[in-house]
Amino acid sequence: MSTPRTTAAGKVLNVLAAFDREHPSQTLSEIAQRTGLALSTAHRVVAELAAWGALERAEDGSWHVGLRLWEIASGCPRTQILRDVALPFMQDLYEVTHENIQLAVREGSELVFVERIAGHRSVELLTMVGSRFPVSSTGMGRVLLAYAPRDVQEEVLEAPLRAWTPHTVTDPRTLRAQLDRIRREQVFVSDRQLSETTVAVATPVRIGRTGPVSAVLGIVFTARDAGRARTLREPLLRAAHGISDELGRRTRTTV
């Protein structure tokens, strides 16, 4: 059976997809290798993308994502309103806690971080804006998984679950119990699931106080202060409720 030929658009998308957090800057040869394109084809596609502004060339000759691509991505309607609404509440939450404040949404079975506030004394994180993780890997992801459609939940629970640390829950039965508890209690404490040095407290963000879950808000802090989770619950809930109320108001006024 012959392999379908990659379209011109597909080649462009493959080149753009070659750039990620682990590969933010690449030579032309590396781009060709990662995409499977011939060097001459990669050269032509990269040149077209650079002329348009999607890629930029560094002084050492390597390539990285260009500013114009960032400008277009920042206008994504799914996250633009959410980030605009959430940021003031996240700033207030940071002033109260002085810890990492993160906002994320679900895409399929993955968690995508869309906003973050951190101080210079905040614990260092593996996550950053734009990064993706399986929803089962983080406390924030599990909050989103708890409110995901049933078929998404089953897809995640039936697949092998990665152990990021010795504390990561990988037993489907235990994870199901966690999802049930999240729906009952609304706040979830994730203890060293993604990193052995961090604990997270997370809660859902809705469209209106009782509407569908659209995002998750979380506070991430050092595992040495794990006992702080109890005191962070109320300010986290206040911020999430404020975001939810404002999202509900915006939705009502635009309908």
Side-chain angles (χ1 to χ4, degrees), residues 93-114:
L93 186 57
Y94 172 76
E95 289 301 320
V96 171
T97 65
H98 291 285
E99 302 290 358
N100 293 286
I101 312 299
Q102 297 192 122
L103 184 72
V105 298
R106 181 181 62 83
E107 186 172 64
S109 60
E110 292 183 312
L111 172 81
V112 182
F113 290 91
V114 297

Side-chain angles (χ1 to χ4, degrees), residues 33-254:
Q33 183 177 12
R34 282 178 55 77
T35 59
L37 296 174
L39 187 61
S40 58
T41 303
H43 182 274
R44 174 176 54 79
V45 174
V46 166
E48 291 177 358
L49 287 169
W52 184 78
L55 294 179
E56 296 176 359
R57 193 172 189 179
E59 292 183 0
D60 64 0
S62 63
W63 294 92
H64 55 82
V65 172
L67 183 60
R68 190 171 184 186
L69 197 62
W70 176 84
E71 290 177 303
I72 292 176
S74 65
C76 173
R78 182 180 175 190
T79 60
Q80 185 177 24
I81 294 176
L82 173 64
R83 293 171 64 242
D84 288 347
V85 167
L87 195 54
F89 294 96
M90 294 176 68
Q91 291 170 335
D92 289 345
L93 186 57
Y94 172 76
E95 289 301 320
V96 171
T97 65
H98 291 285
E99 302 290 358
N100 293 286
I101 312 299
Q102 297 192 122
L103 184 72
V105 298
R106 181 181 62 83
E107 186 172 64
S109 60
E110 292 183 312
L111 172 81
V112 182
F113 290 91
V114 297
E115 189 58 88
R116 171 186 169 189
I117 297 178
H120 65 276
R121 291 195 298 266
S122 301
V123 64
E124 187 175 354
L125 300 181
L126 295 177
T127 60
M128 60 186 69
V129 173
S131 61
R132 293 170 175 259
F133 286 86
V135 286
S136 61
S137 299
T138 71
M140 293 177 68
R142 291 179 195 177
V143 169
L144 290 173
L145 182 61
Y147 296 95
R150 181 64 63 180
D151 61 327
V152 174
Q153 293 183 13
E154 294 305 317
E155 175 188 345
V156 171
L157 292 166
E158 291 174 3
L161 301 176
R162 174 178 174 179
W164 294 80
T165 77
H167 308 279
T168 306
V169 172
T170 58
D171 174 56
R173 183 176 299 179
T174 303
L175 185 52
R176 285 183 191 276
Q178 284 188 347
L179 300 182
D180 289 339
R181 188 164 69 251
I182 289 168
R183 289 187 287 267
R184 290 195 310 270
E185 300 178 359
Q186 299 298 301
V187 176
F188 179 60
V189 178
S190 175
D191 184 4
R192 296 167 292 173
Q193 296 295 293
L194 185 64
S195 165
E196 292 195 72
T197 62
T198 59
V199 172
V201 184
T203 193
V205 170
R206 298 176 179 272
I207 300 176
R209 190 66 65 92
T210 59
V213 171
S214 63
V216 60
L217 182 67
I219 305 173
V220 185
F221 54 100
T222 176
R224 294 193 304 271
D225 297 333
R228 288 195 67 198
R230 293 188 298 274
T231 63
L232 295 174
R233 175 188 174 94
E234 289 306 316
L236 176 66
L237 282 172
R238 284 197 300 271
H241 290 164
I243 298 169
S244 298
D245 290 344
E246 182 62 17
L247 284 175
R249 187 189 67 79
R250 294 264 188 122
T251 300
R252 289 192 298 273
T253 57
T254 56

